[in-house]
Amino acid sequence: MKYNSIHELLRNNQAWVAEKLAIDPTYFEELSNGQTPPFLYIGCSDSRLALTRFTRTEPGELFVHRNIANQVSLTDINFLAVLEYAVLHLKVEHIIVCGHYDCGGIKAALEGRTIGILDNWVNPIRELYLQKQEEIDTLPTREERLNRLAEINVVAQVKNLYQTSIMRQVLHERKAPMVHGWVLDISTGLIKDLNVSTVQWQLHICPLLLEFRLYAMLKNES
């Protein structure tokens, strides 16, 4: 694969701007008016995953958070800030958690060849492997085992999303965006929808809370 030099990046930018303006002279003027993206994309930092290319989307359509192995970490203030801004301020309609096959973070977790901060980061994925070890180890090839763990990881991160206070708040207000779990196959370029059922993780009102509300209403009426 041929890589651009740092100087070519700037020249490419100028050429891209010229192409856009030739098609639509007001393109950047409209783009600068603000953003109302319908999608929050939570994906992996892998350099091959330029999702705008894979989905033919334009700037302004995807609000993006990326990290190694597309983790939804409940202690990551960067992720939580992105989620809060996307859901409460941008009011996105969909949240996409997207993993991919041939993921370096998944390999690091499954094969235990990392040290330091990276090892700490992928440890939750290693825990997922231990939970599903019997299922994963029965698969005949290393590639299949890695790919299956990538899928399991996406499902787990969707579940984690529903553990955040931000999602619980909008679920309670019935304003929650739809959540999707995807995996991208780099070898084909195709995206696979895992059809993750999120109903089991959505907010269920506690019976005790309903009793408390009923008591409060009767007390106010009296």
Side-chain angles (χ1 to χ4, degrees), residues 162-210:
Y162 281 95
Q163 309 307 313
T164 63
S165 60
I166 298 161
M167 284 296 288
R168 290 201 305 270
Q169 176 184 332
V170 291
L171 281 166
H172 181 73
E173 297 171 350
R174 302 187 182 279
K175 297 178 181 178
M178 295 181 64
V179 180
H180 312 267
W182 291 359
V183 173
L184 193 153
D185 187 343
I186 294 177
S187 67
T188 64
L190 296 174
I191 295 171
K192 177 182 179 180
D193 188 345
L194 297 178
N195 295 310
V196 181
S197 174
T198 63
V199 174
Q200 59 184 316
W201 302 320
Q202 293 181 13
L203 187 67
H204 298 286
I205 298 177
C206 175
L208 291 176
L209 181 58
L210 290 174

Side-chain angles (χ1 to χ4, degrees), residues 68 105 108-109 112-124 126:
I68 293 174
R113 298 180 182 178
T114 57
I115 59 173
I117 294 174
L118 180 57
D119 189 62
N120 294 337
W121 182 257
V122 300
N123 188 63
R126 190 174 298 117

